[in-house]
Amino acid sequence: MSKLLQKPRRSAYIAVTFRILQENSHYVSICPELETSSCGDTIDEALKNIRDATLLYLNTIEEQGERERIFKERGIKLYPVTPRPKKIGIKAKFDEVVSPSILPISA
């Protein structure tokens, strides 16, 4: 089937948390919901790197057909539209940066 005749892939969204901690002169970043991690020399670099690592992980589990199982096991909800920000309480330690994030994925 030509690309022009293929159905476009729908988009969905997930909400995750990125946590960044300083370790010596570097920053370690993690996404606890998906157990991805990365690092950077600055907070901004660590945040960009964890976002990239998490998106790469999401693409990989989609290609392997494991996304539905992993999302179910970890309680990750798919949203059909971009979720509106709510007042959310995220507990952070005094030495960490916490960033809630909405990520687009194929539905």
Side-chain angles (χ1 to χ4, degrees), residues 9-10 12 14 34 54-71 78 104-107:
R9 295 187 85 169
R10 295 180 320 163
I14 62 170
L34 293 168
T54 301
L55 288 171
L56 179 61
Y57 176 72
L58 289 168
N59 289 336
T60 300
I61 63 173
E62 172 66 21
E63 289 171 4
Q64 294 176 346
E66 292 291 319
R67 186 179 74 189
E68 185 176 340
R69 179 187 64 79
I70 290 170
F71 281 15
L78 282 177
I105 60 170
S106 62

